[in-house]
Amino acid sequence: MNFDIRKVPFSRYGSYLTVSYLNIKDIKEGLYLRSVHGGDNEPSSAFFIEMIQESKPVPFECIASPTMLRLEARQGFVELCISEEHLIRARGEGVGLRLSMKTGAYDSAVPAKVSSWEVNSYSEEIKFMLTPISGKLIMNAPWRDCRNEYIVADFIPDEKTGRFECAIEDFVTVYEERQFNDTFEECAEKVKKDFSAWLENTLPTEEKYKNARELAAYIMWSCVVPSKGNLSRPAVYMSKNWMTNIWSWDNCFNAMALVRNNPKLAWDQLMLFFDKQDKTGVIPDFLNDKYSYWNCCKPPIHGWALRWMMDRSEFFSREKLREIYGPLCRWTEWWFLYRDYDCDGIPQYNHGNDSGWDNSTVFRDGVPVESPDLSSFLVLQMDTLAVLADILDKTEEAGMWRKRAYETLKKMLKHFWCSNNFVALISGSHKFIESDSLQLFLPLVLGKRLPQMVIDSLIDGLKQKDKFLTDFGLATESISSKYYAPDGYWRGPIWAPSTMIIVDGLAAAGKKELARDIARRFCDMVAQGDIAENFNALTGEGQRDTAFTMTASVFLILSNEYCNLY
């Protein structure tokens, strides 16, 4: 399998090292070697990659696969393999490899051992060791006024053989010297076996989705980073393009895709945020290896996701459920204790980001907002807590959670159901918010817990002409809305999480034909294009980040399970 390096980064399981094509402000467009430590800040001191002959750059094309990145020019080729977490092996013939860094105030390069150089990427908080294995390394790093003006590393072929080979390593504190005894071919074969094992363990799909399944599997595999710093467990980043964090609802979809064939990694995704839970019960908005972000949060879909996973795996022992029960209780209580300012029993969102629907028209008139999707997620979370309490022999607590779920559902229906639609309200004044957002259809996730009349009315709204259902799936804002925008983030594009939540709710409500239809539209769209962050609802074109694990996860789940509902 090959992929487009302009859209999908070249990386591997368990490494922060990434080669990606960057086209952003203040840096030269092209191919870069960088580390994704520290989250989604724009890279300030990555290595720009060029092929050279006689010290001059030559044009080249990229052929990317999970095992190897091959750069081909008329004069020769260079191949790169991320053979280990901290090691890139590279070789070339007929041409050299140039790595150049536009330095900041404290970035520096110093000669280390014989023929090797250490590059200190101060702003990225990482160091690199550049070592020639065959051929030679020529450094151009002029020192002026207490800093390197720039850093250029040229790996040059041996004059006799016309070939070179080198190692590029990242480290944080002290470099541990090593020997490079494995051949390049042996390194590449190890990576090939690693990815092949992952692919074999990825959810199966129909044959027509074969290529998309392989790409989805690669994106998931390559976006796993190890436990390090602020990350207490291995984490599936959303991307190694731009979204180099893990958000506290995206993690749930990734866990759901992994649970049947890789339950330990799935469990780690679910528990990552509870490891960082505040004493009040809230969990961070997002994490990376460097820090946790607390200014917003994400919706409480964790109970829904956990119950979904429990129905599909025997991994969840009493010990595991006991581990998550307390944190899930505190996360649930937080919404009622700290996000119900008018004390009406209906929790609120204080920011669009808290809902996951950042700029939805539900938030157009201001905040805080009482929205029916939040109450729906809390009903399901309390139902899940009741199930866990029963398993853990907490009979009284199980009864309490069931009662609270039932009462919250009754309040939700009375509070939000108006003229055959759900509405959102400003908390306190309960002023009606004019919105034609798909967000108001998310209560379908409740399935048969909703009255049949409500289910039927919501489905009529979804299927209404020129509203939400397009050839490619469900637009997040009605296409007839004056606020609809093709690339409007949550005001139009098709997204994976909204699709997954509604498809699962339709299936739970017994509306399997519609659930299958929406799942197929989404999967066909993904299979014909990118595994992108979101999609133009009218053309199916991928938008924003083009290698997104949450989309990969939802594609795998829907194509494996929901496209074949009957």
Side-chain angles (χ1 to χ4, degrees), residues 169-236:
E169 300 168 88
D170 71 332
F171 63 102
V172 175
T173 55
V174 176
Y175 177 72
E176 296 182 9
E177 193 165 340
R178 61 183 295 170
Q179 301 296 316
F180 304 103
N181 296 320
D182 290 343
T183 66
F184 185 90
E185 290 82 0
E186 289 171 337
C187 291
E189 184 61 27
K190 288 179 182 178
V191 179
K192 183 178 180 180
K193 287 181 179 179
D194 286 349
F195 175 67
S196 295
W198 178 278
L199 178 60
E200 185 177 350
N201 217 24
T202 296
L203 290 173
T205 67
E206 297 176 50
E207 181 64 23
K208 71 173 184 175
Y209 296 136
K210 177 178 181 293
N211 292 338
R213 173 182 177 263
E214 290 184 6
L215 182 57
Y218 167 73
I219 289 172
M220 293 285 288
W221 174 79
S222 65
C223 282
V224 178
V225 297
S227 169
K228 185 180 291 291
N230 190 54
L231 295 175
S232 56
R233 303 165 189 257
V236 182

Side-chain angles (χ1 to χ4, degrees), residues 346-349 355 360-375 412 415-418 421-441 443:
I346 299 292
Q348 69 204 35
Y349 291 129
S355 72
S360 164
T361 52
V362 163
F363 303 99
R364 190 179 58 84
D365 292 344
V367 288
V369 166
E370 295 173 354
S371 185
D373 58 306
L374 176 53
S375 293
M412 185 202 92
H415 200 71
F416 294 113
W417 189 251
C418 177
N421 292 290
F422 280 115
V423 297
L425 309 168
I426 297 293
S427 183
S429 69
H430 292 163
K431 177 187 174 184
F432 170 81
I433 297 170
E434 180 185 350
S435 172
D436 211 355
S437 172
L438 185 68
Q439 186 176 352
L440 298 174
F441 289 79

Side-chain angles (χ1 to χ4, degrees), residues 171-355:
F171 63 102
V172 175
T173 55
V174 176
Y175 177 72
E176 296 182 9
E177 193 165 340
R178 61 183 295 170
Q179 301 296 316
F180 304 103
N181 296 320
D182 290 343
T183 66
F184 185 90
E185 290 82 0
E186 289 171 337
C187 291
E189 184 61 27
K190 288 179 182 178
V191 179
K192 183 178 180 180
K193 287 181 179 179
D194 286 349
F195 175 67
S196 295
W198 178 278
L199 178 60
E200 185 177 350
N201 217 24
T202 296
L203 290 173
T205 67
E206 297 176 50
E207 181 64 23
K208 71 173 184 175
Y209 296 136
K210 177 178 181 293
N211 292 338
R213 173 182 177 263
E214 290 184 6
L215 182 57
Y218 167 73
I219 289 172
M220 293 285 288
W221 174 79
S222 65
C223 282
V224 178
V225 297
S227 169
K228 185 180 291 291
N230 190 54
L231 295 175
S232 56
R233 303 165 189 257
V236 182
Y237 271 14
M238 292 310 101
S239 174
K240 285 184 176 175
N241 264 336
W242 320 117
M243 310 292 280
T244 50
N245 299 309
I246 174 171
W247 275 264
S248 60
W249 74 320
D250 305 39
N251 65 311
C252 293
F253 299 99
N254 288 343
M256 291 161 71
L258 292 167
V259 71
R260 276 173 282 194
N261 297 326
N262 200 335
K264 177 60 171 63
L265 185 58
W267 177 251
D268 286 338
Q269 303 321 293
L270 200 61
M271 292 302 297
L272 262 168
F273 286 87
F274 291 121
D275 290 347
K276 297 294 181 181
Q277 188 172 33
D278 183 71
K279 64 181 180 180
T280 62
V282 70
I283 58 179
D285 186 11
F286 66 81
L287 301 172
N288 55 53
D289 65 298
K290 194 172 179 181
Y291 61 88
S292 306
Y293 188 81
W294 296 94
N295 281 46
C296 294
C297 62
K298 285 293 177 280
I301 68 166
H302 306 75
W304 165 74
L306 174 59
R307 183 67 184 276
W308 191 97
M309 294 163 67
M310 290 170 62
D311 289 342
R312 289 160 177 81
S313 174
E314 296 180 356
F315 177 79
F316 299 93
S317 62
R318 284 172 59 93
E319 289 71 25
K320 287 285 186 290
L321 298 181
R322 186 176 293 110
E323 184 180 347
I324 199 172
Y325 178 74
L328 195 61
C329 289
R330 293 189 289 275
W331 175 221
T332 306
E333 293 285 18
W334 180 84
W335 287 95
F336 291 97
L337 292 173
Y338 297 99
R339 286 297 173 88
D340 183 16
Y341 292 177
D342 62 3
C343 300
D344 62 356
I346 299 292
Q348 69 204 35
Y349 291 129
N350 282 2
H351 194 285
N353 289 10
D354 292 342
S355 72

